[in-house]
Amino acid sequence: MKFTIGSRLSLYISVLLTISITLFLTWNSAKGWLSYVYAEDPPPAGLNEAIQVESENSQLYFLLAQYYENYDFTAPREKIFELYRKALQLNPLNYNYWYYLAEFLSTEGKREKALYALNQATQLAPGVVSLRWAAGILASRLGDEEALKRNLHAVIEYDTERRRKAFIVLWQSLRNGDSILPVIPETALDDYLNFLMDTDRISEAQKVWGKLSDTDEISEYTFLRYVSTLINKNMARSAKNAWAGKYGDWEGIWNGDFEKGLTNSGFDWTFSSVKGAQVKLETNKDRGNSVRIEFDGSTNIDFYHFRQNIPVEEHTEYKLSSLMRSRDLPTKNGPFWEIYCIQTSELNVKSEEILGTTDWHPVSVTFETPRGCELLSIVLRRYTSSRVYGNIAGTVWIDDVSLKKIR
């Protein structure tokens, strides 16, 4: 009998406890549902009513602060701050709350407090790249170089899509390559070098090259572009050192037998498409590679679209020689080699023209480099004809091009 009474008492207690817990959970669920129903009403009334229902919901205070800050310019600034503070009091681990508080404080001119809030945000979520990007921009506005560098370093390392924008922000903010270079991760040096070449910061690009050339991170595209950029800036020695560092030292023509193919950059042969002429690499089982240039007869072309830049020494006599053959070229205004110095106008020499149809034969020209001449350009040329029917048709082949010192 006692056992039955005890059992019933336990049963009643269990039922009451279950009902109490169910009512508690139902009320809390209802509060959350009611708060969001109110929050869907036009702000700020809806948000204020939602807070009355669910006063411990940090997101409601944050959203109300955002509304007053961005849409109600009559709202007291202290009231907005208190809403941010309340949101953080309820949820101090929400990095968004800290970040937007930092934004708010920065507009209030409270720099130190803004930096403190910004630091709290990035410490809570160091791996959120979008936050680090926004934090870097805000740090730039607040004039905190260390926070700027710290945040944009993370962006550059992990977000390749924002990487170039980060380079721009760093240069706009710091304006000093020596301060920026330590911020760039090793994995981003290739992209940074291209950015510097794009923005014509050649001296800074050389510093990056000093770090990048000792790693395996440099791409073939960047290497060839870097050397070509130095050549275009008449920085022959630096360009040659970079080229030799990858391919070994050399003198005279590079790839004169065309067996390395055509990279169309750096100290290799460069060429471009032009109406009326086409440059092709031709392979023959007997003699290997040669270059064929076809003129289709559609244009009275001024041709200068096949060339090579060559490091040389001043006051030195050289001989350029090559093997060439032709088919069906005109009897006047045929192609020839033109040689000139890039740094000075004191040198400009030409070989004989290639005319008509010929078998393989040597074509050469001898010249002496003047003072200050360290970079030659050797160009296959054809001048426009003054004749009424001056369009050029026919084909010329080139092989075994060399440039040797005579004395």
Side-chain angles (χ1 to χ4, degrees):
M1 196 69 171
K2 290 179 181 178
F3 174 79
T4 302
I5 293 172
S7 296
R8 287 180 178 177
L9 182 60
S10 298
L11 179 61
Y12 294 152
I13 291 172
S14 297
V15 171
L16 287 171
L17 184 60
T18 301
I19 293 171
S20 299
I21 292 172
T22 302
L23 287 172
F24 174 77
L25 293 174
T26 302
W27 171 240
N28 275 282
S29 177
K31 279 204 308 180
W33 178 77
L34 284 170
S35 68
Y36 285 107
V37 169
Y38 284 121
E40 288 181 358
D41 290 340
L47 288 168
N48 279 310
E49 290 171 358
I51 288 172
Q52 295 300 316
V53 175
E54 195 176 6
S55 60
E56 301 302 308
N57 188 332
S58 62
Q59 187 72 0
L60 296 174
Y61 295 96
F62 172 71
L63 291 174
L64 189 55
Q66 286 275 286
Y67 170 78
Y68 283 133
E69 184 179 0
N70 295 298
Y71 300 105
D72 186 353
F73 302 117
T74 65
R77 308 302 285 176
E78 187 60 32
K79 181 177 182 179
I80 297 172
F81 174 75
E82 286 301 319
L83 288 168
Y84 279 125
R85 188 183 65 80
K86 182 63 176 178
L88 282 165
Q89 189 179 54
L90 294 170
N91 187 0
L93 300 181
N94 190 308
Y95 65 85
N96 270 322
Y97 297 173
W98 283 108
Y99 173 75
Y100 283 103
L101 174 61
E103 283 270 15
F104 172 75
L105 292 170
S106 72
T107 62
E108 295 294 287
K110 298 177 180 179
R111 180 179 182 274
E112 296 305 319
K113 290 182 178 180
L115 288 171
Y116 172 80
L118 185 63
N119 187 54
Q120 292 294 108
T122 54
Q123 282 185 348
L124 285 169
V128 179
V129 179
S130 58
L131 170 66
R132 303 301 293 272
W133 169 249
I137 300 300
L138 182 54
S140 176
R141 293 208 316 258
L142 292 168
D144 189 313
E145 289 190 6
E146 291 308 311
L148 168 69
K149 293 176 183 179
R150 185 170 60 250
N151 285 292
L152 290 193
H153 173 87
V155 173
I156 292 168
E157 187 165 17
Y158 298 113
D159 190 343
T160 55
E161 292 185 2
R162 285 194 176 103
R163 187 172 282 174
R164 185 179 179 86
K165 293 179 181 178
F167 297 153
I168 294 172
V169 172
L170 283 170
W171 272 97
Q172 289 176 340
S173 302
L174 303 180
R175 302 179 183 277
N176 185 302
D178 292 334
S179 298
I180 295 170
L181 185 54
V183 181
I184 311 300
E186 188 172 285
T187 53
L189 286 173
D190 190 286
D191 286 340
Y192 185 50
L193 178 56
N194 278 287
F195 167 79
L196 293 172
M197 289 188 285
D198 288 341
T199 54
D200 203 29
R201 294 180 169 98
I202 304 305
S203 61
E204 300 300 329
Q206 288 181 286
K207 295 174 186 177
V208 175
W209 175 259
K211 295 183 67 175
L212 186 58
S213 58
D214 293 331
T215 75
D216 296 327
E217 298 295 333
I218 186 170
S219 66
E220 183 75 5
Y221 166 81
T222 301
F223 167 76
L224 294 173
R225 186 186 178 197
Y226 177 70
V227 175
S228 297
T229 298
L230 293 180
I231 292 172
N232 292 335
K233 295 293 181 181
N234 292 334
M235 303 171 71
R237 292 182 184 180
S238 297
K240 184 178 181 180
N241 289 338
W243 192 266
K246 184 175 179 68
Y247 294 120
D249 202 5
W250 86 106
E251 284 190 355
I253 298 291
W254 173 266
N255 190 24
D257 57 6
F258 308 110
E259 295 306 314
K260 295 182 176 66
L262 295 174
T263 61
N264 198 23
S265 57
F267 285 110
D268 200 357
W269 297 99
T270 61
F271 55 94
S272 56
S273 299
V274 59
K275 182 180 179 181
Q278 190 174 29
V279 179
K280 294 182 178 180
L281 187 67
E282 184 173 276
T283 301
N284 184 288
K285 63 180 181 179
D286 294 326
R287 62 179 304 114
N289 289 347
S290 60
V291 165
R292 183 181 75 212
I293 301 174
E294 294 181 352
F295 300 97
D296 63 16
S298 65
T299 309
N300 184 6
I301 188 172
D302 181 12
F303 186 79
Y304 51 87
H305 301 83
F306 184 76
R307 66 176 63 218
Q308 184 173 128
N309 295 309
I310 306 164
V312 291
E313 299 174 8
E314 61 182 0
H315 293 310
T316 303
E317 191 172 0
Y318 288 93
K319 181 179 181 180
L320 173 73
S321 60
S322 67
L323 291 178
M324 304 181 77
R325 77 180 181 97
S326 60
R327 183 178 62 203
D328 298 331
L329 289 175
T331 56
K332 290 184 178 181
N333 292 87
F336 59 92
W337 290 114
E338 181 178 63
I339 304 164
Y340 63 89
C341 183
I342 293 176
Q343 296 103 330
T344 174
S345 60
E346 294 181 21
L347 175 67
N348 192 303
V349 295
K350 301 174 179 64
S351 71
E352 71 265 29
E353 294 181 8
I354 309 301
L355 303 170
T357 298
T358 64
D359 201 354
W360 287 107
H361 65 283
V363 176
S364 64
V365 59
T366 303
F367 59 92
E368 183 175 347
T369 54
R371 179 181 179 182
C373 181
E374 296 182 334
L375 191 64
L376 290 180
S377 188
I378 294 179
V379 188
L380 188 73
R381 285 300 312 266
R382 187 265 179 182
Y383 292 156
T384 55
S385 173
S386 59
R387 293 183 299 174
V388 176
Y389 301 103
N391 293 3
I392 181 173
T395 308
V396 61
W397 285 264
I398 308 165
D399 202 359
D400 293 338
V401 189
S402 68
L403 181 71
K404 295 182 179 179
K405 293 180 185 178
I406 296 176
R407 62 177 178 84

PDB file of all heavy atoms in Angstrom, residues 154-180:
ATOM      1  N   ALA A 154      46.797  39.460 -44.047  1.00  0.00           N
ATOM      2  CA  ALA A 154      45.915  38.287 -44.088  1.00  0.00           C
ATOM      3  C   ALA A 154      45.093  38.262 -45.371  1.00  0.00           C
ATOM      4  O   ALA A 154      44.902  37.201 -45.975  1.00  0.00           O
ATOM      5  CB  ALA A 154      45.000  38.289 -42.868  1.00  0.00           C
ATOM      6  N   VAL A 155      44.609  39.418 -45.797  1.00  0.00           N
ATOM      7  CA  VAL A 155      43.822  39.482 -47.033  1.00  0.00           C
ATOM      8  C   VAL A 155      44.674  39.070 -48.224  1.00  0.00           C
ATOM      9  O   VAL A 155      44.252  38.256 -49.065  1.00  0.00           O
ATOM     10  CB  VAL A 155      43.272  40.907 -47.246  1.00  0.00           C
ATOM     11  CG1 VAL A 155      42.609  41.026 -48.605  1.00  0.00           C
ATOM     12  CG2 VAL A 155      42.274  41.263 -46.143  1.00  0.00           C
ATOM     13  N   ILE A 156      45.879  39.605 -48.323  1.00  0.00           N
ATOM     14  CA  ILE A 156      46.765  39.303 -49.449  1.00  0.00           C
ATOM     15  C   ILE A 156      47.131  37.822 -49.483  1.00  0.00           C
ATOM     16  O   ILE A 156      47.217  37.209 -50.549  1.00  0.00           O
ATOM     17  CB  ILE A 156      48.031  40.180 -49.368  1.00  0.00           C
ATOM     18  CG1 ILE A 156      47.666  41.651 -49.607  1.00  0.00           C
ATOM     19  CG2 ILE A 156      49.076  39.728 -50.375  1.00  0.00           C
ATOM     20  CD1 ILE A 156      48.781  42.616 -49.262  1.00  0.00           C
ATOM     21  N   GLU A 157      47.315  37.241 -48.318  1.00  0.00           N
ATOM     22  CA  GLU A 157      47.730  35.834 -48.256  1.00  0.00           C
ATOM     23  C   GLU A 157      46.609  34.875 -48.643  1.00  0.00           C
ATOM     24  O   GLU A 157      46.858  33.869 -49.311  1.00  0.00           O
ATOM     25  CB  GLU A 157      48.225  35.507 -46.850  1.00  0.00           C
ATOM     26  CG  GLU A 157      48.823  34.115 -46.734  1.00  0.00           C
ATOM     27  CD  GLU A 157      49.638  33.921 -45.475  1.00  0.00           C
ATOM     28  OE1 GLU A 157      49.499  34.734 -44.537  1.00  0.00           O
ATOM     29  OE2 GLU A 157      50.412  32.951 -45.429  1.00  0.00           O
ATOM     30  N   TYR A 158      45.375  35.188 -48.255  1.00  0.00           N
ATOM     31  CA  TYR A 158      44.308  34.198 -48.399  1.00  0.00           C
ATOM     32  C   TYR A 158      43.221  34.560 -49.423  1.00  0.00           C
ATOM     33  O   TYR A 158      42.420  33.695 -49.769  1.00  0.00           O
ATOM     34  CB  TYR A 158      43.636  33.958 -47.039  1.00  0.00           C
ATOM     35  CG  TYR A 158      44.583  33.406 -46.006  1.00  0.00           C
ATOM     36  CD1 TYR A 158      44.942  34.164 -44.892  1.00  0.00           C
ATOM     37  CD2 TYR A 158      45.135  32.136 -46.155  1.00  0.00           C
ATOM     38  CE1 TYR A 158      45.826  33.661 -43.948  1.00  0.00           C
ATOM     39  CE2 TYR A 158      46.013  31.623 -45.215  1.00  0.00           C
ATOM     40  CZ  TYR A 158      46.361  32.389 -44.111  1.00  0.00           C
ATOM     41  OH  TYR A 158      47.232  31.900 -43.179  1.00  0.00           O
ATOM     42  N   ASP A 159      43.175  35.794 -49.877  1.00  0.00           N
ATOM     43  CA  ASP A 159      42.098  36.199 -50.793  1.00  0.00           C
ATOM     44  C   ASP A 159      42.704  36.753 -52.079  1.00  0.00           C
ATOM     45  O   ASP A 159      43.011  37.945 -52.181  1.00  0.00           O
ATOM     46  CB  ASP A 159      41.207  37.246 -50.123  1.00  0.00           C
ATOM     47  CG  ASP A 159      39.935  37.527 -50.920  1.00  0.00           C
ATOM     48  OD1 ASP A 159      39.892  37.170 -52.107  1.00  0.00           O
ATOM     49  OD2 ASP A 159      38.990  38.107 -50.353  1.00  0.00           O
ATOM     50  N   THR A 160      42.866  35.884 -53.067  1.00  0.00           N
ATOM     51  CA  THR A 160      43.517  36.313 -54.311  1.00  0.00           C
ATOM     52  C   THR A 160      42.664  37.317 -55.085  1.00  0.00           C
ATOM     53  O   THR A 160      43.205  38.124 -55.849  1.00  0.00           O
ATOM     54  CB  THR A 160      43.809  35.099 -55.209  1.00  0.00           C
ATOM     55  OG1 THR A 160      42.591  34.369 -55.439  1.00  0.00           O
ATOM     56  CG2 THR A 160      44.810  34.167 -54.542  1.00  0.00           C
ATOM     57  N   GLU A 161      41.339  37.278 -54.902  1.00  0.00           N
ATOM     58  CA  GLU A 161      40.482  38.212 -55.627  1.00  0.00           C
ATOM     59  C   GLU A 161      40.619  39.637 -55.100  1.00  0.00           C
ATOM     60  O   GLU A 161      40.464  40.598 -55.849  1.00  0.00           O
ATOM     61  CB  GLU A 161      39.026  37.758 -55.534  1.00  0.00           C
ATOM     62  CG  GLU A 161      38.745  36.468 -56.296  1.00  0.00           C
ATOM     63  CD  GLU A 161      37.274  36.110 -56.301  1.00  0.00           C
ATOM     64  OE1 GLU A 161      36.475  36.890 -55.752  1.00  0.00           O
ATOM     65  OE2 GLU A 161      36.931  35.049 -56.858  1.00  0.00           O
ATOM     66  N   ARG A 162      40.891  39.788 -53.801  1.00  0.00           N
ATOM     67  CA  ARG A 162      41.059  41.130 -53.227  1.00  0.00           C
ATOM     68  C   ARG A 162      42.524  41.569 -53.188  1.00  0.00           C
ATOM     69  O   ARG A 162      42.826  42.674 -52.746  1.00  0.00           O
ATOM     70  CB  ARG A 162      40.505  41.163 -51.801  1.00  0.00           C
ATOM     71  CG  ARG A 162      38.982  41.183 -51.706  1.00  0.00           C
ATOM     72  CD  ARG A 162      38.570  41.558 -50.292  1.00  0.00           C
ATOM     73  NE  ARG A 162      37.144  41.676 -50.142  1.00  0.00           N
ATOM     74  CZ  ARG A 162      36.357  40.765 -49.578  1.00  0.00           C
ATOM     75  NH1 ARG A 162      36.889  39.634 -49.129  1.00  0.00           N
ATOM     76  NH2 ARG A 162      35.063  40.958 -49.457  1.00  0.00           N
ATOM     77  N   ARG A 163      43.418  40.710 -53.637  1.00  0.00           N
ATOM     78  CA  ARG A 163      44.856  40.957 -53.473  1.00  0.00           C
ATOM     79  C   ARG A 163      45.287  42.269 -54.130  1.00  0.00           C
ATOM     80  O   ARG A 163      45.970  43.083 -53.513  1.00  0.00           O
ATOM     81  CB  ARG A 163      45.632  39.774 -54.051  1.00  0.00           C
ATOM     82  CG  ARG A 163      47.116  39.820 -53.804  1.00  0.00           C
ATOM     83  CD  ARG A 163      47.752  38.507 -54.241  1.00  0.00           C
ATOM     84  NE  ARG A 163      47.527  37.456 -53.259  1.00  0.00           N
ATOM     85  CZ  ARG A 163      47.876  36.181 -53.447  1.00  0.00           C
ATOM     86  NH1 ARG A 163      48.429  35.813 -54.591  1.00  0.00           N
ATOM     87  NH2 ARG A 163      47.669  35.293 -52.482  1.00  0.00           N
ATOM     88  N   ARG A 164      44.898  42.479 -55.367  1.00  0.00           N
ATOM     89  CA  ARG A 164      45.313  43.692 -56.076  1.00  0.00           C
ATOM     90  C   ARG A 164      44.739  44.941 -55.409  1.00  0.00           C
ATOM     91  O   ARG A 164      45.433  45.962 -55.293  1.00  0.00           O
ATOM     92  CB  ARG A 164      44.880  43.628 -57.540  1.00  0.00           C
ATOM     93  CG  ARG A 164      45.384  44.799 -58.366  1.00  0.00           C
ATOM     94  CD  ARG A 164      44.955  44.689 -59.812  1.00  0.00           C
ATOM     95  NE  ARG A 164      45.420  45.825 -60.579  1.00  0.00           N
ATOM     96  CZ  ARG A 164      46.607  45.924 -61.150  1.00  0.00           C
ATOM     97  NH1 ARG A 164      47.473  44.935 -61.032  1.00  0.00           N
ATOM     98  NH2 ARG A 164      46.960  46.992 -61.842  1.00  0.00           N
ATOM     99  N   LYS A 165      43.471  44.868 -54.962  1.00  0.00           N
ATOM    100  CA  LYS A 165      42.886  46.003 -54.256  1.00  0.00           C
ATOM    101  C   LYS A 165      43.662  46.303 -52.975  1.00  0.00           C
ATOM    102  O   LYS A 165      43.835  47.470 -52.600  1.00  0.00           O
ATOM    103  CB  LYS A 165      41.429  45.720 -53.925  1.00  0.00           C
ATOM    104  CG  LYS A 165      40.522  45.625 -55.144  1.00  0.00           C
ATOM    105  CD  LYS A 165      39.094  45.324 -54.742  1.00  0.00           C
ATOM    106  CE  LYS A 165      38.191  45.192 -55.966  1.00  0.00           C
ATOM    107  NZ  LYS A 165      36.796  44.853 -55.576  1.00  0.00           N
ATOM    108  N   ALA A 166      44.129  45.255 -52.313  1.00  0.00           N
ATOM    109  CA  ALA A 166      44.920  45.449 -51.096  1.00  0.00           C
ATOM    110  C   ALA A 166      46.240  46.153 -51.411  1.00  0.00           C
ATOM    111  O   ALA A 166      46.688  47.027 -50.645  1.00  0.00           O
ATOM    112  CB  ALA A 166      45.180  44.108 -50.422  1.00  0.00           C
ATOM    113  N   PHE A 167      46.877  45.799 -52.540  1.00  0.00           N
ATOM    114  CA  PHE A 167      48.100  46.501 -52.954  1.00  0.00           C
ATOM    115  C   PHE A 167      47.825  47.996 -53.127  1.00  0.00           C
ATOM    116  O   PHE A 167      48.612  48.851 -52.696  1.00  0.00           O
ATOM    117  CB  PHE A 167      48.632  45.933 -54.267  1.00  0.00           C
ATOM    118  CG  PHE A 167      49.050  44.492 -54.225  1.00  0.00           C
ATOM    119  CD1 PHE A 167      49.006  43.712 -55.372  1.00  0.00           C
ATOM    120  CD2 PHE A 167      49.469  43.910 -53.045  1.00  0.00           C
ATOM    121  CE1 PHE A 167      49.396  42.387 -55.353  1.00  0.00           C
ATOM    122  CE2 PHE A 167      49.862  42.565 -53.006  1.00  0.00           C
ATOM    123  CZ  PHE A 167      49.820  41.811 -54.161  1.00  0.00           C
ATOM    124  N   ILE A 168      46.700  48.306 -53.764  1.00  0.00           N
ATOM    125  CA  ILE A 168      46.343  49.706 -54.014  1.00  0.00           C
ATOM    126  C   ILE A 168      46.144  50.459 -52.704  1.00  0.00           C
ATOM    127  O   ILE A 168      46.650  51.574 -52.515  1.00  0.00           O
ATOM    128  CB  ILE A 168      45.075  49.786 -54.883  1.00  0.00           C
ATOM    129  CG1 ILE A 168      45.353  49.227 -56.286  1.00  0.00           C
ATOM    130  CG2 ILE A 168      44.569  51.229 -54.986  1.00  0.00           C
ATOM    131  CD1 ILE A 168      44.119  49.075 -57.152  1.00  0.00           C
ATOM    132  N   VAL A 169      45.418  49.845 -51.764  1.00  0.00           N
ATOM    133  CA  VAL A 169      45.173  50.490 -50.467  1.00  0.00           C
ATOM    134  C   VAL A 169      46.485  50.723 -49.725  1.00  0.00           C
ATOM    135  O   VAL A 169      46.695  51.793 -49.133  1.00  0.00           O
ATOM    136  CB  VAL A 169      44.208  49.645 -49.617  1.00  0.00           C
ATOM    137  CG1 VAL A 169      44.104  50.208 -48.202  1.00  0.00           C
ATOM    138  CG2 VAL A 169      42.831  49.612 -50.254  1.00  0.00           C
ATOM    139  N   LEU A 170      47.381  49.751 -49.766  1.00  0.00           N
ATOM    140  CA  LEU A 170      48.673  49.898 -49.082  1.00  0.00           C
ATOM    141  C   LEU A 170      49.458  51.072 -49.662  1.00  0.00           C
ATOM    142  O   LEU A 170      50.041  51.869 -48.921  1.00  0.00           O
ATOM    143  CB  LEU A 170      49.480  48.607 -49.203  1.00  0.00           C
ATOM    144  CG  LEU A 170      49.056  47.460 -48.288  1.00  0.00           C
ATOM    145  CD1 LEU A 170      49.764  46.169 -48.685  1.00  0.00           C
ATOM    146  CD2 LEU A 170      49.345  47.796 -46.827  1.00  0.00           C
ATOM    147  N   TRP A 171      49.478  51.191 -50.986  1.00  0.00           N
ATOM    148  CA  TRP A 171      50.227  52.283 -51.598  1.00  0.00           C
ATOM    149  C   TRP A 171      49.558  53.635 -51.362  1.00  0.00           C
ATOM    150  O   TRP A 171      50.248  54.639 -51.151  1.00  0.00           O
ATOM    151  CB  TRP A 171      50.419  52.033 -53.098  1.00  0.00           C
ATOM    152  CG  TRP A 171      51.655  51.231 -53.355  1.00  0.00           C
ATOM    153  CD1 TRP A 171      51.750  49.893 -53.549  1.00  0.00           C
ATOM    154  CD2 TRP A 171      52.997  51.727 -53.388  1.00  0.00           C
ATOM    155  NE1 TRP A 171      53.061  49.516 -53.712  1.00  0.00           N
ATOM    156  CE2 TRP A 171      53.852  50.628 -53.621  1.00  0.00           C
ATOM    157  CE3 TRP A 171      53.553  52.993 -53.254  1.00  0.00           C
ATOM    158  CZ2 TRP A 171      55.234  50.753 -53.712  1.00  0.00           C
ATOM    159  CZ3 TRP A 171      54.930  53.127 -53.353  1.00  0.00           C
ATOM    160  CH2 TRP A 171      55.751  52.027 -53.578  1.00  0.00           C
ATOM    161  N   GLN A 172      48.232  53.664 -51.370  1.00  0.00           N
ATOM    162  CA  GLN A 172      47.530  54.915 -51.083  1.00  0.00           C
ATOM    163  C   GLN A 172      47.739  55.349 -49.647  1.00  0.00           C
ATOM    164  O   GLN A 172      47.792  56.548 -49.361  1.00  0.00           O
ATOM    165  CB  GLN A 172      46.040  54.748 -51.368  1.00  0.00           C
ATOM    166  CG  GLN A 172      45.699  54.654 -52.844  1.00  0.00           C
ATOM    167  CD  GLN A 172      44.227  54.389 -53.091  1.00  0.00           C
ATOM    168  OE1 GLN A 172      43.512  53.909 -52.206  1.00  0.00           O
ATOM    169  NE2 GLN A 172      43.755  54.686 -54.291  1.00  0.00           N
ATOM    170  N   SER A 173      47.881  54.383 -48.738  1.00  0.00           N
ATOM    171  CA  SER A 173      47.986  54.697 -47.314  1.00  0.00           C
ATOM    172  C   SER A 173      49.424  54.936 -46.874  1.00  0.00           C
ATOM    173  O   SER A 173      49.711  55.880 -46.134  1.00  0.00           O
ATOM    174  CB  SER A 173      47.375  53.563 -46.478  1.00  0.00           C
ATOM    175  OG  SER A 173      46.028  53.343 -46.816  1.00  0.00           O
ATOM    176  N   LEU A 174      50.347  54.087 -47.321  1.00  0.00           N
ATOM    177  CA  LEU A 174      51.723  54.138 -46.815  1.00  0.00           C
ATOM    178  C   LEU A 174      52.669  54.880 -47.754  1.00  0.00           C
ATOM    179  O   LEU A 174      53.627  55.504 -47.289  1.00  0.00           O
ATOM    180  CB  LEU A 174      52.243  52.711 -46.580  1.00  0.00           C
ATOM    181  CG  LEU A 174      51.404  51.858 -45.625  1.00  0.00           C
ATOM    182  CD1 LEU A 174      52.017  50.464 -45.478  1.00  0.00           C
ATOM    183  CD2 LEU A 174      51.282  52.520 -44.259  1.00  0.00           C
ATOM    184  N   ARG A 175      52.451  54.762 -49.056  1.00  0.00           N
ATOM    185  CA  ARG A 175      53.252  55.475 -50.069  1.00  0.00           C
ATOM    186  C   ARG A 175      54.753  55.222 -49.923  1.00  0.00           C
ATOM    187  O   ARG A 175      55.577  56.098 -50.208  1.00  0.00           O
ATOM    188  CB  ARG A 175      52.979  56.987 -49.998  1.00  0.00           C
ATOM    189  CG  ARG A 175      51.514  57.343 -50.208  1.00  0.00           C
ATOM    190  CD  ARG A 175      51.282  58.836 -50.117  1.00  0.00           C
ATOM    191  NE  ARG A 175      49.888  59.159 -50.255  1.00  0.00           N
ATOM    192  CZ  ARG A 175      49.233  59.283 -51.411  1.00  0.00           C
ATOM    193  NH1 ARG A 175      49.899  59.120 -52.532  1.00  0.00           N
ATOM    194  NH2 ARG A 175      47.950  59.561 -51.440  1.00  0.00           N
ATOM    195  N   ASN A 176      55.113  54.037 -49.477  1.00  0.00           N
ATOM    196  CA  ASN A 176      56.526  53.725 -49.268  1.00  0.00           C
ATOM    197  C   ASN A 176      56.732  52.235 -49.500  1.00  0.00           C
ATOM    198  O   ASN A 176      56.236  51.410 -48.739  1.00  0.00           O
ATOM    199  CB  ASN A 176      56.948  54.118 -47.843  1.00  0.00           C
ATOM    200  CG  ASN A 176      58.437  53.933 -47.618  1.00  0.00           C
ATOM    201  OD1 ASN A 176      58.967  52.842 -47.765  1.00  0.00           O
ATOM    202  ND2 ASN A 176      59.111  55.012 -47.246  1.00  0.00           N
ATOM    203  N   GLY A 177      57.475  51.923 -50.556  1.00  0.00           N
ATOM    204  CA  GLY A 177      57.679  50.526 -50.898  1.00  0.00           C
ATOM    205  C   GLY A 177      58.408  49.738 -49.842  1.00  0.00           C
ATOM    206  O   GLY A 177      58.141  48.547 -49.637  1.00  0.00           O
ATOM    207  N   ASP A 178      59.361  50.371 -49.140  1.00  0.00           N
ATOM    208  CA  ASP A 178      60.112  49.667 -48.097  1.00  0.00           C
ATOM    209  C   ASP A 178      59.221  49.297 -46.920  1.00  0.00           C
ATOM    210  O   ASP A 178      59.484  48.316 -46.224  1.00  0.00           O
ATOM    211  CB  ASP A 178      61.278  50.534 -47.611  1.00  0.00           C
ATOM    212  CG  ASP A 178      62.341  50.715 -48.684  1.00  0.00           C
ATOM    213  OD1 ASP A 178      62.444  49.828 -49.567  1.00  0.00           O
ATOM    214  OD2 ASP A 178      63.066  51.724 -48.655  1.00  0.00           O
ATOM    215  N   SER A 179      58.170  50.076 -46.682  1.00  0.00           N
ATOM    216  CA  SER A 179      57.224  49.747 -45.613  1.00  0.00           C
ATOM    217  C   SER A 179      56.237  48.674 -46.056  1.00  0.00           C
ATOM    218  O   SER A 179      55.759  47.884 -45.237  1.00  0.00           O
ATOM    219  CB  SER A 179      56.451  51.001 -45.181  1.00  0.00           C
ATOM    220  OG  SER A 179      57.321  51.984 -44.660  1.00  0.00           O
ATOM    221  N   ILE A 180      55.950  48.650 -47.345  1.00  0.00           N
ATOM    222  CA  ILE A 180      54.938  47.721 -47.859  1.00  0.00           C
ATOM    223  C   ILE A 180      55.504  46.328 -48.085  1.00  0.00           C
ATOM    224  O   ILE A 180      54.836  45.326 -47.809  1.00  0.00           O
ATOM    225  CB  ILE A 180      54.347  48.273 -49.168  1.00  0.00           C
ATOM    226  CG1 ILE A 180      53.581  49.572 -48.885  1.00  0.00           C
ATOM    227  CG2 ILE A 180      53.429  47.249 -49.842  1.00  0.00           C
ATOM    228  CD1 ILE A 180      53.163  50.319 -50.128  1.00  0.00           C
TER     229      ILE A 180
END
